[in-house]
Amino acid sequence: MEMKDRVAFITGAGSGIGRATARRLVAEGMRVALAGRDEDELEELAEEIRNGGGEALAMKLDIVEVDELEAAYAKIDETWGRLDLVFANAGVNGTWAPIEELDPEDWRQTIEINLTGTFQTIKYAVPYLKQSKGQVIITSSINGTRVFSNTGATAYACSKGAQVVLGRMLALELAADGIRVNVICPGAVDTAIDDNTELENLKKVRHPESVPDDVIPLTGGEPASSEQVAALVMMLVSDESSHITGTEIWIDGGQSLLKG
């Protein structure tokens, strides 16, 4: 795979899947722009990459802020003169609560970050991706795509299901420009995303026969590592996947088949 000097923009790059993917792409020769809200995490990763001989930019930004995204893409173009991949990975679990107790502001915030933020991340990258015939990869979830039994995760599941629709719509719209758009749907992954989850009174709406979250058929309960998800991203980035677009791929060890 000839990845040398290609450029990737990764949101949510400071930890978890984003961090592991940045390392994997750099190992294959790509240059990475690391975006996120924790400046210390981004600078630490960028320094690690530079010390290893790679090229990285650390970009503290919020994907709901259009001016920050536009400035980031302009900086990437100024620095490297190209953009080959947008990995729209940033997101939150948000508040999980019964519909009667789910505050409209909590709903709005989850949709704004996960869906509107993803839309904006892609929208402002398109002029640059057209030049390189690049690609977009969106991080969705098994929730809202195959799994609907996590009662109370309404806002999160709706945002994630809508990301798949967004990916399909844009895959067709952008195909004439040679831009591929695909979606990955992880199940349980060993990351810190649960740190931004607020659970409220879920016991009273959960079905008593729900399958526990830690039942993963392929591994007996062991969640995926961030590196395994990064390997899937790498596969989609590579020229070996040059005829794949508008497709979602689940990486969950069979978890969603069981939970449904």
Side-chain angles (χ1 to χ4, degrees), residues 3 8-11 17 21 25 30 73 84-90 118 121-122 125 129 134-140 163 166-167 170 179-186 229-238 241 244-249:
M3 311 301 294
F9 177 70
I10 303 171
T11 64
I17 292 170
T21 299
L25 296 180
M30 292 187 72
Y73 288 129
D84 301 275
L85 168 68
V86 170
F87 183 31
N89 171 69
T118 298
T121 298
I122 299 168
L129 293 173
Q135 61 179 294
V136 174
I137 298 174
I138 300 168
T139 300
S140 178
Q163 284 181 320
L166 178 65
L170 296 183
I179 298 173
R180 297 194 290 121
V181 183
N182 292 295
V183 183
I184 63 171
C185 301
V229 182
L232 172 59
V233 175
M234 188 66 241
M235 183 271 289
L236 289 170
V237 171
S238 77
S241 301
I244 298 176
T245 194
T247 297
E248 56 270 15
I249 300 177

Side-chain angles (χ1 to χ4, degrees), residues 9-260:
F9 177 70
I10 303 171
T11 64
S15 62
I17 292 170
R19 190 180 189 90
T21 299
R23 287 170 170 158
R24 179 63 190 269
L25 296 180
V26 168
E28 299 293 340
M30 292 187 72
R31 299 172 287 190
V32 292
L34 310 168
R37 293 190 288 188
D38 189 319
E39 189 170 14
D40 291 340
E41 285 183 342
L42 298 173
E43 290 290 356
E44 178 189 359
L45 179 57
E47 188 65 21
E48 172 194 312
I49 289 169
R50 295 185 198 113
N51 288 340
E55 294 184 55
L57 289 174
M59 298 181 153
K60 183 181 184 299
L61 60 82
D62 189 329
I63 59 173
V64 304
E65 300 295 336
V66 169
D67 58 341
E68 295 182 12
L69 281 168
E70 289 184 308
Y73 288 129
K75 177 65 174 177
I76 292 168
D77 190 53
E78 176 188 333
T79 303
W80 291 314
R82 64 183 296 157
L83 178 63
D84 301 275
L85 168 68
V86 170
F87 183 31
N89 171 69
V92 296
N93 274 357
T95 298
W96 293 23
I99 186 66
E100 294 174 284
E101 300 174 24
L102 181 60
D103 189 277
E105 178 58 25
D106 292 330
W107 164 277
R108 184 201 62 77
Q109 185 179 54
T110 300
I111 297 297
E112 183 176 47
I113 295 171
N114 292 354
L115 181 57
T116 304
T118 298
F119 157 74
Q120 292 178 170
T121 298
I122 299 168
K123 172 182 170 62
Y124 295 101
V126 167
Y128 303 98
L129 293 173
K130 283 183 175 181
Q131 296 176 31
S132 64
K133 297 187 184 299
Q135 61 179 294
V136 174
I137 298 174
I138 300 168
T139 300
S140 178
S141 171
I142 61 173
N143 289 286
T145 59
R146 274 184 175 172
V147 172
F148 302 92
S149 55
N150 280 331
T151 311
T154 308
Y156 179 74
C158 285
S159 71
K160 291 295 163 178
Q163 284 181 320
V164 170
V165 175
L166 178 65
R168 290 178 178 178
M169 292 293 296
L170 296 183
L172 189 56
E173 178 179 334
L174 299 173
D177 297 299
I179 298 173
R180 297 194 290 121
V181 183
N182 292 295
V183 183
I184 63 171
C185 301
V189 181
D190 187 14
T191 70
I193 192 170
D194 287 342
D195 293 346
N196 59 40
T197 308
E198 185 174 342
L199 307 178
E200 298 180 359
N201 299 323
L202 294 180
K203 285 186 179 180
K204 68 182 184 182
V205 291
R206 282 282 168 88
H207 193 281
E209 296 180 2
S210 295
V211 177
D213 290 338
D214 61 356
V215 177
I216 303 173
L218 190 63
T219 63
E222 192 70 25
S225 67
S226 296
E227 288 73 22
Q228 286 174 305
V229 182
L232 172 59
V233 175
M234 188 66 241
M235 183 271 289
L236 289 170
V237 171
S238 77
D239 292 339
E240 300 297 322
S241 301
S242 60
H243 205 59
I244 298 176
T245 194
T247 297
E248 56 270 15
I249 300 177
W250 286 269
I251 175 167
D252 67 352
Q255 182 183 13
S256 62
L257 298 176
L258 189 62
K259 285 181 67 67

